[in-house]
Amino acid sequence: MAPVSHNRGRRSGRTAFAAAGTVVVLGLTGCSTLSGLLPGGGDEEEPSPEPTESVAAAPLLEEALADLADYPALTATGQVAQTVGADVQDTSLTVADSGATDGTIRANGNEGEIIDVDGRTYVRATEDFWLDRGVFGPDSDDFEDNWVRASASQVGIEPGAVLAPPVLAEILGGLEVEEEDAVKENLDGTLTYRIDLAGERDQVWINAETDQIQRIAIEELVPEGAETGPQVRLDLAQADQPAVEELYAGLVTTVEEELASSRDARIEVAWQGEPNMSCGEGPNCTWSGTAYDASGADGGSVSVRMDVTFTNDELGEQQCSDSGTLEAGGTLELSCGADYNNSESADTADQERSVDGSAQLSTRGMTDEEQESVLAALGEQREATLSGGADDEESGEATDGESAEETEGSGN
């Protein structure tokens, strides 16, 4: 009655996600370099300096950052890399003050759509996109043109964590101004002031007419509480209200209609050792195994599902499933069973029956409970963004005779 199990590995050959067994039952049974992101790197034409005319850098930057922090949303277009020395990828993003994001990322000819909802990053791309990044999972075959939850290390950036306007303003505000004066420069035909920050090549360009930040080139954009961050070279602009409304409407539709079938690539799930299959009279069969983190992820958890199919040539198929949450670096015990409950005459009771079993591991990028939570969060974030968020609270109480509803509506 000992099971015979065979594991089938993915392309990497490192892990096994699907398993099979048989039990005989008696009786009733291009790459780019980061130099292109930096001033003076790559083939991009650099800003040409105008005749030197300087202004005090610190107050100019302070005013621009205060303005940035109040953006309901921004657009960011340019290049990002996970860290200094990593591959460069082109990106175009719209990021709300809540961190809600929609956009695209592209590297080595492979483009993916990227969204950020309530602190969760998802990408929809072709199989080549994931292969290019060396990302595998038990359900990699389902990654093609499907939303997949991913980590910043896999896609190069977690937009909401570093590019939400108030967050970005805070990060930039924490960088020391290196040169006392800002230098006037012609940036792509627009007159700007360049401010050199205290980093090897950290710079900010501020539009001389609007006093808004037009471009940033930062070697390491580190969010609060983190040790590292992406390198960026991005052109920034304030997004208008129609763009904000379109952003939230699109994200709500995606969460409602598409993320329930999403996958999760943040942890590479595989069988630890050989799963076990056993059958008794009935045939009543049980499959059990241990899933584990084969990637050594730094943190987080992933929802894992095991689907098992038992097959007998005469009795047909029976199926069962089990699911649970796998923590990074941990293991997850999974087990389920199915009973054919076959009734036979006495003359066939002692015949042997062969039952085959196979199991497939898969992941879920969003559970039903998480979907409800994210939709509720997006609704609150949209309302806050379009009404001005904290600005309304700071402006004081509503005047006598003016309802709270009217006050809120006036922000739209």
Side-chain angles (χ1 to χ4, degrees):
M1 302 279 279
V4 178
S5 298
H6 302 284
N7 292 331
R8 176 173 60 85
R10 282 288 300 158
R11 298 172 183 80
S12 62
R14 293 178 295 136
T15 56
F17 309 120
T22 301
V23 171
V24 177
V25 184
L26 182 63
L28 301 182
T29 65
C31 297
S32 301
T33 63
L34 281 178
S35 61
L37 283 176
L38 303 172
D43 297 327
E44 179 181 342
E45 183 178 348
E46 288 304 314
S48 58
E50 295 287 328
T52 302
E53 180 181 337
S54 60
V55 297
L60 179 63
L61 179 60
E62 183 178 356
E63 181 181 348
L65 290 178
D67 193 21
L68 172 63
D70 287 338
Y71 286 6
L74 60 77
T75 60
T77 305
Q79 297 174 309
V80 301
Q82 179 192 343
T83 59
V84 175
D87 286 352
V88 174
Q89 53 189 7
D90 298 319
T91 188
S92 178
L93 304 167
T94 300
V95 188
D97 55 3
S98 65
T101 303
D102 185 24
T104 61
I105 52 177
R106 181 181 179 86
N108 300 327
N110 299 307
E111 183 173 284
E113 300 172 68
I114 184 171
I115 61 172
D116 200 324
V117 287
D118 200 27
R120 305 161 182 266
T121 302
Y122 296 83
V123 175
R124 180 165 63 182
T126 63
E127 182 182 33
D128 288 341
F129 177 95
W130 299 107
L131 292 175
D132 182 59
R133 285 161 169 74
V135 176
F136 300 96
D139 40 12
S140 293
D141 290 341
D142 295 327
F143 285 6
E144 176 86 22
D145 294 328
N146 192 16
W147 289 107
V148 179
R149 190 173 178 186
S151 65
S153 62
Q154 292 169 329
V155 297
I157 189 171
E158 184 181 350
V162 292
L163 295 179
V167 173
L168 179 58
E170 183 176 0
I171 296 174
L172 295 176
L175 301 177
E176 183 181 351
V177 175
E178 185 174 60
E179 297 294 338
E180 183 177 343
D181 292 330
V183 179
K184 187 176 288 188
E185 284 190 354
N186 184 323
L187 181 66
D188 300 333
T190 300
L191 197 59
T192 65
Y193 289 104
R194 190 196 76 234
I195 297 177
D196 296 325
L197 304 176
E200 185 175 346
R201 297 189 183 184
D202 291 347
Q203 296 176 320
V204 172
W205 286 263
I206 297 176
N207 188 295
E209 180 179 352
T210 65
D211 291 335
Q212 292 184 321
I213 295 177
Q214 184 162 325
R215 177 178 293 177
I216 60 173
I218 307 296
E219 279 205 315
E220 198 168 19
L221 201 62
V222 183
E224 182 180 0
E227 296 181 358
T228 62
Q231 186 175 11
V232 303
R233 181 183 179 87
L234 297 169
D235 289 336
L236 307 180
Q238 181 175 350
D240 58 20
Q241 181 165 317
V244 175
E245 293 175 340
E246 182 180 356
L247 168 67
Y248 278 106
L251 292 177
V252 167
T253 298
T254 298
V255 174
E256 287 179 334
E257 300 179 0
E258 301 179 46
L259 292 193
S261 62
S262 64
R263 303 304 183 183
D264 198 328
R266 294 173 301 147
I267 295 176
E268 188 174 330
V269 184
W271 292 114
Q272 184 179 67
E274 294 288 334
N276 179 64
M277 173 182 164
S278 61
C279 292
E281 292 185 354
N284 186 351
C285 297
T286 300
W287 183 287
S288 60
T290 301
Y292 83 112
D293 173 11
S295 58
D298 293 333
S301 62
V302 58
S303 178
V304 179
R305 178 184 172 95
M306 174 185 73
D307 290 285
V308 181
T309 301
F310 300 103
T311 306
N312 174 267
D313 291 341
E314 297 178 9
L315 302 178
E317 291 185 353
Q318 290 279 359
Q319 297 178 332
C320 67
S321 65
D322 192 16
S323 60
T325 300
L326 175 63
E327 301 287 341
T331 60
L332 174 65
E333 301 295 331
L334 296 168
S335 179
C336 70
D339 188 354
Y340 281 87
N341 196 24
N342 180 53
S343 177
E344 298 178 293
S345 60
D347 60 345
T348 62
D350 293 332
Q351 76 178 36
E352 291 186 348
R353 293 195 181 278
S354 177
V355 179
D356 295 326
S358 63
Q360 176 66 47
L361 294 173
S362 61
T363 61
R364 294 295 181 271
M366 180 171 287
T367 65
D368 292 343
E369 294 79 7
E370 290 169 340
Q371 184 184 49
E372 293 180 6
S373 174
V374 170
L375 285 172
L378 283 174
E380 294 173 358
Q381 291 165 7
R382 177 188 179 280
E383 182 178 354
T385 298
L386 293 176
S387 64
D391 288 345
D392 286 348
E393 299 177 6
E394 295 171 358
S395 64
E397 299 293 334
T399 59
D400 292 342
E402 181 182 16
S403 69
E405 180 179 355
E406 290 170 341
T407 302
E408 180 179 326
S410 66
N412 295 331

